[in-house]
């Protein structure tokens, strides 16, 4: 296990634990306001101080972690559920019209950033956490479809797949029984990366007011609300900003560490010291 | 060596004199949040048009002073007939429009006939509804005949919608406004700024500023940065109250805090369950802690109100005690109405910070009495479509900035859908009543009626907060009308 995997998993685990803990307990209730105690500095009662409504920032970060993780996790789930079958289908029918249709459809979705899709969705049904999950999820579909197709294509030319075909298995069964298990590592690594991008996208959406609506705490909205208060209460912006930065960084580290551990080819690269930037 | 010293001294003096020259500035850059859609104040309701042009470029027969009083404008004096039906205005001599044409009685006839015409697009046609005839008596005198006596006719003529325009320049008024004011229109860079320059031929006292620029900055963060960087000299109606304390501490700036006509209300959908039950509306009104909202959302700027009426108005009745903060009473009332377990309702919030922040605070306060308010943030276009025109909402927060607009409660199809025939009859009586004492009593009764019917939750009167360079004097503190009058603005020595 590499150091970056340890650091990455450790710190993102910490945020996940904080998010989970917020389901049962937070130092203070984030939905009750205490205007008289606004902009309080760090103290024993409020470890990270309070915001412009007198809410406890530590509690809000914990609940925000839960919001971010839930949205990003579900969005990755949607992306995998939609993208993996599409990618397998495209690879199985490579070169056919169906392959073309699937991949051009992916290009089409890819052409719209998650933000644009989210604006489209919220314009129709109104802003909410569920809609941001759907928007980020839709954006994830072509990512996984491309990845699976690219990973599956070389597998189709290998001997064990050939022998499975000779033994009379159909393309669907081969895809599920022989191709998919060989793509697991790829999916885990990409899933981690997409997870971190999902957290970033959720923060972006709630920053512009399209994500989770108050009183649900969210890191992006905490940042947006603090914009005009940076001059006299910089911690309001710094704390959620750091939370987003650290989580995304750790998840990227974890993703790279996982790739190094799971993928022998890139492990060799890592040993040669060839650092690799996250996508 | 000596020559080097001499050169340094000369250079220092040059720098010093440049600094001195800069201190004597003759221009001002004013920040505004909203840009006008076009430049004709007589054909649109947009307040941004009047903010830029009222008193600066366009003038009317009468005008508003900084305190809201009605003062002579292009009419030097007037006489009112004994029956109150006919007003004769003596126009000022030597007034010219910016294109050189003279201002005379025929222009008054043209302006008023245009405003009250059948096909007029004037946003406030009601101001002119009582006029039956406008007649020029020679070049410098005009008689206006009314159908019935009107106590506030001179007030009506002071509105930005009643300014004087000329037939020669009316064609392109939306892009090239030609008025009689102390400033002439120079240039409009759309999306950025409008510049004005001093009118050398002004009939009255010339403005102190030689040039003025209105810069449009809609983002509060950008407004804050521009103000601190000195890119603008004054920000009229500064949008982020949280920064005001910092500007107040900074000796470079002055913060002006004054009155507006903006009653900020928590509107309830009176025809929709559960707000069709007065006990529920009363419960909501008692569940709200106004002071917490003013402190939390407006950082202390704002005056609590108990009805839909401006506290600085002489006819104001303080009804805040009628809906005092009392969560226990609110819970009792909800239980009586059959909502002991509370209920869930939508709270739709337009973009301004009073609504967004105020909404979060109100949602927390309502939660305390068992009402779950589901917040959604809307853009203005969505708000107008869903709430204002579609009636698709439970609760919303908005500030009503028109002066003397209590008569909206007499419109059953208005978005909060309050339908009380007694109140409608009251407003009809008020419209034809011209005796000041009787009007005052009727207005008091109107305020009390809507407060006791708990039509809406009455929160606070919006404050007008402007941030101004400490050396720039003469910016209006209050907003009796939408105007940023620069004629009296000057740099202190």
């Amino acid at each position: 296990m590499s150091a970056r995997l340890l650091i990455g998993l450790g710190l993102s685990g910490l945020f996940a634990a904080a998010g989970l803990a917020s389901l049962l307990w937070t130092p203070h209730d984030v939905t009750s306001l205490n205007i008289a105690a606004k902009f309080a500095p760090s103290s024993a009662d409020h470890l990270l101080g309070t915001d412009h409504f007198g809410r406890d920032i530590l509690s809000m970060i914990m609940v925000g972690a839960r919001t971010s993780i839930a949205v990003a996790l579900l969005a990755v789930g949607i992306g995998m559920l939609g993208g993996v079958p599409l990618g397998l289908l495209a690879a199985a029918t490579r070169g056919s019209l169906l392959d073309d249709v699937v991949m051009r459809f992916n290009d089409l979705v890819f052409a719209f950033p998650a933000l644009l899709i989210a604006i489209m969705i919220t314009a129709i049904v109104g802003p909410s956490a569920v809609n941001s999950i759907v928007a980020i999820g839709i954006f994830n579909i072509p990512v996984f479809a491309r990845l699976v197709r690219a990973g599956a294509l070389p597998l189709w030319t290998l001997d064990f797949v050939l022998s499975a075909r000779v033994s009379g298995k159909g393309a669907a069964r081969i895809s599920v029984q022989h191709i998919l298990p060989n793509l697991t590592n790829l999916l885990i690594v990409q899933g981690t990366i997409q997870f971190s991008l999902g957290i970033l996208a959720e923060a972006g959406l709630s920053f512009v007011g399209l994500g989770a609506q108050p009183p649900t705490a969210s890191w992006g909205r905490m940042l947006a609300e603090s914009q005009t208060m940076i001059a006299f209460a910089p911690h309001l912006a710094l704390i959620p900003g750091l939370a987003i930065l650290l989580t995304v960084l750790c998840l990227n580290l974890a993703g790279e560490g996982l790739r190094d551990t799971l993928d022998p080819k890139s492990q060799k690269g890592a040993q040669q010291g060839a650092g690799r930037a996250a996508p | 060596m000596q020559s080097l010293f001499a050169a340094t001294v000369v250079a220092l003096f040059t720098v010093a004199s440049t600094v001195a020259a800069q201190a004597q500035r003759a221009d001002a850059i004013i920040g505004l949040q909203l840009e006008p859609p076009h430049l004709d104040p007589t054909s649109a309701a947009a307040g941004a048009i009047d903010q830029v042009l009222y008193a600066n470029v366009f003038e009317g027969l009468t005008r508003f002073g900084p305190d809201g009083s009605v003062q002579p404008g292009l009419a030097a004096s007037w006489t009112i007939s004994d029956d109150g039906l006919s007003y004769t205005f003596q126009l000022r001599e030597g007034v010219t429009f910016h294109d050189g044409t003279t201002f005379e009685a025929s222009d008054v006839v043209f302006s008023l006939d245009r405003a009250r015409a059948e096909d007029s697009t004037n946003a406030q046609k009601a101001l002119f509804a009582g006029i039956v005839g406008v007649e020029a008596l020679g070049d410098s005198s005009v008689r206006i005949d009314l159908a019935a006596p009107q106590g506030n006719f001179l007030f009506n003529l002071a509105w930005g919608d009643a300014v004087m325009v000329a037939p020669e320049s009316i064609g392109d008024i939306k892009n090239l406004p030609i008025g009689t004011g102390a400033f002439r229109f120079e240039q409009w860079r759309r999306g950025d700024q409008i510049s004005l320059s001093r009118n050398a031929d002004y009939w009255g006292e010339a403005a102190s500023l030689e040039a003025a620029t209105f810069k449009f900055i809609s983002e509060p963060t950008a407004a804050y940065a521009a103000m601190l960087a000195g890119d603008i000299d004054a920000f009229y109606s500064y949008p982020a109250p949280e920064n005001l304390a910092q500007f107040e501490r900074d000796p470079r700036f002055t913060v002006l805090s004054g009155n507006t006509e903006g009653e900020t209300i928590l509107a309830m959908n009176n025809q929709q369950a559960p707000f069709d039950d007065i006990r529920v509306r009363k419960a909501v009104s008692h569940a709200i802690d106004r002071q917490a909202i003013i402190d939390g959302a407006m950082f202390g700027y704002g005056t609590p109100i108990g009805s839909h009426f401006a506290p600085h108005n002489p006819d104001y009745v303080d009804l805040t005690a009628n809906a005092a903060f009392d969560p226990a009473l609110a819970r009792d009332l909800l239980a009586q109405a059959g909502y002991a377990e509370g209920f869930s309702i939508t709270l739709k919030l337009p973009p301004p910070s009073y609504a967004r922040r105020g909404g979060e605070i109100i949602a927390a306060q309502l939660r305390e009495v068992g009402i779950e308010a589901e917040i959604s943030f809307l853009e203005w276009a969505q708000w107008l479509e869903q709430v204002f025109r579609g009636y698709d909402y439970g609760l919303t927060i908005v500030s009503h900035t028109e002066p003397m607009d209590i008569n909206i409660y007499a419109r059953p199809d208005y978005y909060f859908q309050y339908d009380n025939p007694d109140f409608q009859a009251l407003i009809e009586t008020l419209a034809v009543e011209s005796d000041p004492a009787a009007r005052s009593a009727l207005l008091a009764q109107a305020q009390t009626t809507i407060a006791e019917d708990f039509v809406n939750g009455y929160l606070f009167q919006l404050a007008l907060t402007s941030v101004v360079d400490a050396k720039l004097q003469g910016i209006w503190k209050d907003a009796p009308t939408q105007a940023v009058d620069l004629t009296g603005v000057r740099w202190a020595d």
Side-chain angles (χ1 to χ4, degrees):
Chain A
M1 239 187 181
S2 67
R4 56 170 115 174
L5 182 60
L6 274 178
I7 297 174
L9 279 183
L11 273 177
S12 24
L14 195 70
F15 275 106
L20 275 178
S22 75
L23 283 171
L24 303 171
W25 173 85
T26 51
H28 291 265
D29 180 8
V30 293
T31 59
S32 76
L33 316 182
N34 182 6
I35 307 290
K38 65 182 174 186
F39 300 124
S42 173
S43 66
D45 193 25
H46 300 285
L47 271 182
L48 296 176
T50 63
D51 73 350
H52 57 290
F53 287 150
R55 290 176 295 199
D56 182 51
I57 293 180
L58 178 61
S59 311
M60 292 186 72
I61 289 289
M62 287 173 68
V63 178
R66 186 215 302 170
T67 313
S68 290
I69 290 171
V71 169
L73 209 57
L74 288 169
V76 170
I78 292 178
M80 282 196 181
L81 279 179
V84 172
L86 280 179
L88 288 175
L89 177 70
T93 60
R94 63 209 166 278
S96 72
L97 184 68
L98 190 59
D99 177 26
D100 256 0
V101 169
V102 168
M103 293 322 285
R104 293 303 79 77
F105 173 74
N106 274 329
D107 288 343
L108 192 75
V109 177
F110 225 14
F112 293 95
L115 202 63
L116 215 59
I117 295 177
I119 291 172
M120 224 151 64
I121 292 176
T122 54
I124 301 166
V125 288
S128 75
V130 174
N131 294 335
S132 55
I133 292 171
V134 173
I136 303 169
I138 289 176
F139 175 74
N140 275 334
I141 290 176
V143 175
F144 285 104
R146 266 162 192 280
L147 180 84
V148 167
R149 182 177 180 269
L153 280 181
L155 293 177
W156 274 98
T157 63
L158 295 184
D159 289 348
F160 73 96
V161 173
L162 219 60
S163 65
R165 290 174 76 176
V166 169
S167 72
K169 285 185 178 170
R173 273 183 75 184
I174 295 176
S175 291
V176 175
Q177 290 182 348
H178 298 288
I179 307 281
L180 190 55
N182 282 294
L183 297 173
T184 319
N185 294 352
L186 218 54
L187 285 175
I188 290 177
V189 172
Q190 193 65 35
T192 320
I193 307 282
Q194 287 311 116
F195 183 54
S196 80
L197 289 178
I199 288 187
L200 211 55
E202 193 277 332
L205 286 179
S206 44
F207 186 87
V208 294
L210 299 176
Q213 300 289 299
T216 309
S218 114
W219 293 345
R221 211 182 49 255
M222 287 172 76
L223 261 186
E225 284 171 353
S226 66
Q227 268 189 101
T228 53
M229 305 174 198
I230 286 175
F232 59 91
H235 65 288
L236 290 192
L238 277 177
I239 293 168
L242 272 177
I244 296 170
L245 177 83
L246 283 177
T247 318
V248 172
L249 184 74
C250 292
L251 283 169
N252 272 310
L253 279 179
E256 291 202 3
L258 279 174
R259 180 165 52 199
D260 292 349
T261 316
L262 298 174
D263 182 357
K265 271 174 286 178
S266 80
Q267 197 168 29
K268 209 171 91 201
Q271 277 160 359
Q272 284 162 0
R276 205 180 273 259
Chain B
M1 190 63 196
Q2 202 167 13
S3 68
L4 184 65
F5 175 71
T8 314
V9 170
V10 169
L12 278 175
F13 268 106
T14 319
V15 170
S17 59
T18 321
V19 170
Q22 275 172 352
Q24 288 301 318
R25 285 181 56 188
D27 69 313
I29 303 168
I30 313 291
L32 291 178
Q33 214 183 351
L34 294 178
E35 181 171 15
H38 62 74
L39 301 176
D40 179 9
T42 63
S43 69
I49 303 175
D50 279 339
Q51 287 189 341
V52 173
L53 300 174
Y54 184 81
N56 297 328
V57 174
F58 286 112
E59 298 171 298
L61 290 179
T62 58
R63 56 160 297 166
F64 290 116
D67 56 350
S69 62
V70 178
Q71 300 172 350
L74 290 174
S77 63
W78 49 82
T79 51
I80 307 170
S81 65
D82 291 338
D83 57 5
L85 288 177
S86 130
Y87 286 67
T88 308
F89 293 91
Q90 280 299 322
L91 305 183
R92 292 195 195 269
E93 301 285 339
V95 178
T96 57
F97 284 97
H98 299 148
D99 60 355
T101 56
T102 49
F103 166 75
E104 50 203 18
S106 62
D107 294 311
V108 180
V109 178
F110 170 76
S111 299
L112 293 179
D113 282 351
R114 176 172 170 269
R116 66 196 185 92
E118 199 73 34
D119 58 350
S120 157
T121 52
N122 198 295
Q124 302 288 344
K125 276 178 93 166
L127 296 176
F128 316 100
I131 300 177
V132 291
V134 185
E135 197 183 335
L137 311 169
D139 278 347
S140 59
S141 179
V142 175
R143 195 185 72 234
I144 302 177
D145 295 314
L146 302 179
Q150 267 184 40
N152 49 0
F153 184 60
L154 294 168
F155 173 89
N156 289 354
L157 286 182
W159 282 55
D161 306 84
V163 293
M164 292 297 125
V165 291
E168 293 88 346
S169 52
I170 200 70
D172 199 21
I173 187 173
K174 291 188 175 180
N175 298 305
L176 183 63
I178 303 281
T180 57
F183 290 93
R184 57 174 77 225
F185 169 78
E186 281 294 331
Q187 197 200 12
W188 181 8
R189 293 218 306 255
R190 276 167 208 265
D192 180 26
Q193 61 179 44
I194 289 176
S195 46
L196 310 177
S197 69
R198 181 160 65 190
N199 174 13
D201 303 321
Y202 187 53
W203 56 268
E205 190 190 338
S208 166
L209 296 175
E210 282 168 15
T213 305
F214 288 96
K215 229 172 155 39
F216 308 107
I217 305 175
S218 56
E219 262 301 306
T221 349
Y224 172 71
M227 201 67 223
L228 272 190
D231 293 342
I232 44 180
D233 301 310
F235 204 104
Y236 183 81
S237 190
Y238 185 78
E242 58 271 32
N243 299 136
L244 293 171
Q246 184 193 0
F247 284 118
E248 268 176 356
R249 282 194 301 274
D250 194 326
R252 291 179 295 161
F253 304 106
T254 314
V255 174
L256 302 176
S257 169
N259 300 317
T260 71
E261 300 294 332
E263 293 86 12
T264 311
I265 61 170
L266 172 69
M268 299 185 241
N269 196 338
N270 277 240
Q271 295 294 324
Q272 193 197 70
F275 299 122
D276 51 352
D277 185 334
I278 185 173
R279 289 171 299 190
V280 177
R281 298 201 300 267
K282 189 175 179 190
V284 168
S285 302
H286 282 293
I288 297 167
D289 180 0
R290 297 187 187 85
Q291 199 55 48
I293 298 165
I294 294 170
D295 289 344
M298 304 310 291
F299 289 75
Y301 292 92
T303 316
I305 53 171
S307 185
H308 197 102
F309 214 72
H312 55 265
N313 191 301
D315 294 323
Y316 172 74
V317 183
D318 186 353
L319 293 159
T320 47
N322 183 52
F325 177 49
D326 190 347
L329 175 61
R331 272 188 292 267
D332 282 352
L333 285 162
L334 283 179
Q336 285 170 31
Y339 293 100
E341 302 300 314
F343 58 89
S344 212
I345 196 77
T346 58
L347 173 55
K348 298 196 171 178
L349 303 173
S353 63
Y354 67 73
R356 295 270 165 103
R357 289 200 192 120
E360 284 198 58
I361 298 170
I362 285 176
Q365 291 172 352
L366 291 180
R367 204 173 300 119
E368 296 291 316
V369 299
I371 302 172
E372 196 60 43
E374 293 156 16
I375 291 177
S376 52
F377 286 175
L378 303 184
E379 293 305 316
W380 273 121
Q382 290 174 310
W383 185 87
L384 285 170
E385 188 194 317
Q386 294 178 21
V387 178
F388 196 72
R389 286 193 291 270
Y391 310 150
D392 176 20
Y393 75 105
L395 295 168
T396 186
I397 298 177
V398 74
S399 202
H400 287 259
T401 53
E402 297 81 8
M404 288 296 288
D405 56 356
I406 197 167
N407 54 358
I408 56 179
Y409 287 76
R411 289 160 58 179
D413 60 345
Y414 208 59
Y415 74 103
F416 37 75
Q417 302 184 79
Y418 171 61
D419 191 358
N420 178 349
D422 292 343
F423 187 84
Q424 288 151 23
L426 181 68
I427 292 295
E428 269 172 40
T429 320
L430 181 70
V432 294
E433 181 61 68
S434 57
D435 175 50
R439 281 185 69 85
S440 198
L442 286 170
L443 282 170
Q445 199 188 331
Q447 294 171 57
T448 315
T449 306
I450 57 169
E452 287 178 351
D453 273 349
F454 297 96
V455 182
N456 295 313
Y458 299 100
L459 306 177
F460 58 89
Q461 193 74 15
L462 207 59
L464 173 74
T465 46
S466 300
V467 181
V468 183
D469 187 299
K471 291 200 284 294
L472 192 67
Q473 299 173 337
I475 299 270
W476 285 10
K477 186 167 79 70
D478 300 315
T481 185
Q482 296 272 22
V484 187
D485 181 353
L486 297 176
T487 54
V489 172
R490 61 182 67 245
W491 287 98
D493 297 328

